[in-house]
Every structure is written in C-alpha cells, then in structure tokens.
Amino acid sequence: MSDYRQTIRFTINGENRAVKVPPMKRLLDVLREDLQLTGTKEGCGEGECGSCSVRMNGELVNSCLVPVLQADGASIQTVEGLSANGVLHPLQKAFLECGGAQCGICTPGMLMAAAQLLSITPHPSIAEIREGLAGNLCRCTGFIRIFESVVAAAAATPNPSSGQAPHAR
Ligand code: FES
Ligand code: FES
C-alpha cells in the first residue's frame, strides 16, 4: 500500500487545522486518530447507521464515507464543536434531561443530525424530526426519547410564530 501523504487543510469547529495523511483515509479516522476528536463514533463503517455524522459545509455527512481529500478546504463541525465555552448546546442539555442518550454510541451522530435539522427548521414537527433523524439508528432508546429531546431543545428557543412546541407522542 502506498505511503503517500498529502497535506489537507480545513476548519474544524472554527479552528484552522492541517494534517498530513493518506488522501483516501476516512475523515472519521482523521478526526479520531490525527485530531483526537474521538466524540465522533464508528458504528457500521459503511454509511448505514449515522453514528459518524458530522456537518461539512452546512451538510450532514457520514464521515466514514468521506475520503479526507474531499474535506480539503471544508468547514467541519463535530460534536466537540456543539458546546461553547463549557456551556452545553440546548440539544446536549435536552438529551441529558430527557434520556435521549443511553449507551451513547449513536448520540454524537444524533446530536449532529438534530443540530443540522434545527439549523434549517428551528421548530420542526414530529414528522420533520423523524425525517431529519431518519439516517441515524439507535438500538437503545426506541427513538421516542430522542424525539422528545429534540422537541425540548427546539422549545428552548422561542418560536415567534406560535410559541407552542409539538408533542413527541
Ligand atoms: S459508522 Fe458511518 S454510517 Fe455507520
Ligand atoms: S443510545 Fe445506544 S444506540 Fe442510541
């Protein structure tokens, strides 16, 4: 196998970073091994479970399917970038309070998928939450507590149009 390495530059959680790595190395592995951002988890490793979800240039991507070369010049947000100055993101707080996280393997990916959803639809309906999280699998919670967590996080931001939060059940 070639040991060719290429310098890849990107912005991770608002910081400019550069790594010299094999260009086909998975973004997931670069995050975890080269940047020590181990919040992003590997589940299936083949694009089916969403555990490895990160946001790249405003899109949700499965980092296990992205060769790092494709991330050159990109702006990436991982779960480590959700909290700011030691303050949890409303989604993280809601997952904690509503029991949206159990074993935790799916949780970073769920949080990133939910963050992506709320960035586009700040006050989603339950159908929109289901659809927004459809690419993320959870073996523990039965999903309802995750949906409730997203509802709670959305409710923490005032809705100028209705002021009402949807119910998860
Ligand atoms: S580990 Fe990437 S989708 Fe499952
Ligand atoms: S909390 Fe265990 S897989 Fe979702």
Side-chain angles (χ1 to χ4, degrees):
M1 195 167 145
S2 161
D3 59 3
Y4 173 71
R5 289 171 176 251
Q6 185 172 331
T7 300
I8 307 287
R9 292 185 173 79
F10 36 34
T11 305
I12 308 266
N13 301 327
E15 252 182 63
N16 293 330
R17 304 292 299 260
V19 287
K20 195 164 187 184
V21 291
M24 293 307 288
K25 186 166 181 173
R26 303 181 308 171
L27 175 60
L28 171 63
D29 297 327
V30 171
L31 291 172
R32 292 181 55 85
E33 296 168 6
D34 298 282
L35 296 167
Q36 283 74 52
L37 293 170
T38 54
T40 303
K41 303 294 184 229
E42 176 159 15
C44 66
E46 49 192 38
E48 299 293 335
C49 74
S51 292
C52 64
S53 300
V54 299
R55 297 170 79 197
M56 185 165 99
N57 294 335
E59 304 277 340
L60 192 71
V61 299
N62 289 326
S63 61
C64 71
L65 295 184
V66 178
V68 70
L69 180 65
Q70 273 183 19
D72 196 20
S75 175
I76 294 168
Q77 187 189 34
T78 69
V79 71
E80 288 87 351
L82 275 186
S83 60
N85 304 320
V87 178
L88 291 182
H89 186 282
L91 278 165
Q92 293 172 307
K93 207 163 171 276
F95 269 65
L96 269 176
E97 289 170 356
C98 302
Q102 289 185 21
C103 82
I105 283 290
C106 74
T107 309
M110 284 290 180
L111 286 168
M112 298 316 289
Q116 176 70 9
L117 172 66
L118 295 186
S119 74
I120 296 165
T121 311
H123 296 279
S125 66
I126 292 304
E128 288 168 327
I129 294 172
R130 282 182 188 275
E131 191 183 330
L133 302 186
N136 293 71
L137 303 181
C138 175
R139 288 174 178 269
C140 305
T141 62
F143 292 96
I144 292 296
R145 288 181 179 198
I146 290 174
F147 299 156
E148 287 174 344
S149 302
V150 179
V151 168
T157 309
N159 182 350
S161 61
S162 78
Q164 288 196 339
H167 299 287
R169 288 171 204 271

